[in-house]
Amino acid sequence: CIGEGYMLPKAYMFGKRRDKVKIPVGTSRKEWYLTVQQMTELYLHWKNRDMDFPIFNSWRQDNPTYAVKTAGSRDMLYQALAMFLMQYLCCGCNLFDLALLRYSRYYFDSGRKAFRFIRHKTEDETLDGEGMEVIVPITEPVQELLDIYSPKPKMDELVFPFLLGDDINKGAVAIRKRICQENKNIRDRMKKVVDSIGWNVMPTGTYARHSFATNLHVAKVPRDYISDAMGHSLGNRGQITMRYISPYTIDDRMNYN
């Protein structure tokens, strides 16, 4: 609001001074991440399609939580897992940016080796108003997911058109509502996925983003690269990036103690 001229800086009512309203710090989500080994396990389950999703039997009272209504529902569970993996592999992007990802000129100019997009969240946070760009190298797992869930690459076409469907042409409000619903769908379906393999975590898009940052950090990847890859704003990159990184894994803590 200050940047756009809607209010003067002195009128901003939030801050740590006594005459300001203090904003309480939110609960940390640094521990919301999956290790490389866990992500690899999910990837192999997707690739091998070896998870057991029994058909719900209305005559039984002991149906597992991961039972499905139809055989087609199994495909939707694997699709949800694929989109969760894509969020992780695409530099921890959120579903909004993944849904709007297109086969741009950059994709073709790079020899189909990388995607480029502007983080929607940062469009108004840079001096030029263009937002922070994210470059996603198309690794082998990414290409495998694209081969299954993306149509044949065409200039300026959506990479995953099914995420938005017809809502892509209905304006910003319709798009946001659709993304909200798809986020819920993926979250609910991922619950069945992890239940079927006996996990006690509840992976969401937040897990995908935190996992990307933390796993690169554990692998001793320079923090500047992590910030760049995640499209964090330049002004306070280090502080923003550290919000996503769990500084010590459980194994580290156990070893140190």
Side-chain angles (χ1 to χ4, degrees):
C1 288
I2 294 172
E4 294 293 329
Y6 294 121
M7 65 185 298
L8 295 174
K10 64 180 181 181
Y12 187 68
M13 68 290 295
F14 300 106
K16 295 183 178 180
R17 290 175 9 198
R18 290 187 175 182
D19 60 335
K20 300 289 185 179
V21 178
K22 184 178 180 180
I23 301 176
V25 177
T27 303
S28 172
R29 298 180 179 180
K30 288 183 179 181
E31 302 304 324
W32 289 23
Y33 74 94
L34 301 178
T35 65
V36 171
Q37 289 74 23
Q38 288 173 305
M39 281 294 187
T40 301
E41 182 178 341
L42 289 177
Y43 164 71
L44 291 175
H45 281 308
W46 170 82
K47 187 173 182 177
N48 298 326
R49 292 183 70 91
D50 58 2
M51 289 180 288
D52 178 31
F53 298 116
I55 300 297
F56 184 86
N57 187 338
S58 59
W59 293 97
R60 296 178 54 181
Q61 296 185 355
D62 59 345
N63 285 283
T65 57
Y66 45 91
V68 296
K69 293 182 179 180
T70 66
S73 299
R74 292 172 178 150
D75 293 333
M76 299 305 295
L77 292 178
Y78 279 105
Q79 177 179 289
L81 174 56
M83 293 301 99
F84 175 77
L85 291 170
M86 280 299 298
Q87 287 181 261
Y88 172 69
L89 294 167
C90 289
C91 301
C93 73
N94 61 37
L95 194 65
F96 193 98
D97 287 327
L98 188 66
L100 294 178
L101 185 64
R102 295 180 181 272
Y103 287 109
S104 65
R105 171 59 62 187
Y106 184 92
Y107 168 79
F108 294 101
D109 288 347
S110 69
R112 305 190 180 202
K113 294 181 179 179
F115 290 117
R116 175 186 179 274
F117 67 89
I118 303 298
R119 283 192 69 204
H120 178 79
K121 188 176 179 180
T122 66
E123 287 180 349
D124 297 325
E125 295 181 11
T126 54
L127 294 177
D128 56 13
E130 293 184 0
M132 299 301 301
E133 74 171 11
V134 175
I135 305 296
V136 179
I138 300 178
T139 59
E140 183 177 341
V142 171
Q143 187 59 58
E144 289 180 349
L145 290 160
L146 292 172
D147 290 341
I148 299 297
Y149 295 103
S150 180
K152 183 178 179 180
K154 293 183 180 180
M155 182 66 69
D156 294 329
E157 292 294 318
L158 292 171
V159 177
F160 300 111
F162 61 85
L163 287 174
L164 290 176
D166 295 336
D167 289 325
I168 185 64
N169 301 313
K170 296 181 181 179
V173 174
I175 289 175
R176 287 189 176 279
K177 287 184 178 179
R178 178 63 177 261
I179 294 300
C180 182
Q181 182 60 51
E182 288 301 319
N183 260 320
K184 182 179 184 304
N185 292 342
I186 292 175
R187 182 174 65 250
D188 292 345
R189 290 164 184 164
M190 283 299 297
K191 179 65 167 63
K192 289 183 177 291
V193 168
V194 296
D195 282 352
S196 73
I197 59 178
W199 286 12
N200 292 319
V201 298
M202 183 57 252
T204 62
T206 301
Y207 266 85
R209 190 161 180 79
H210 285 236
S211 299
F212 177 80
T214 297
N215 290 336
L216 289 189
H217 176 71
V218 171
K220 310 303 181 185
V221 173
R223 191 182 301 170
D224 283 348
Y225 173 76
I226 301 176
S227 294
D228 180 84
M230 298 181 74
H232 285 159
S233 300
L234 291 171
N236 52 356
R237 263 190 172 178
Q239 295 177 2
I240 294 177
T241 302
M242 285 308 297
R243 293 177 187 174
Y244 288 90
I245 295 174
S246 180
Y248 305 105
T249 66
I250 298 300
D251 288 340
D252 284 337
R253 296 175 189 274
M254 185 70 71
N255 182 50
Y256 292 153
N257 280 23

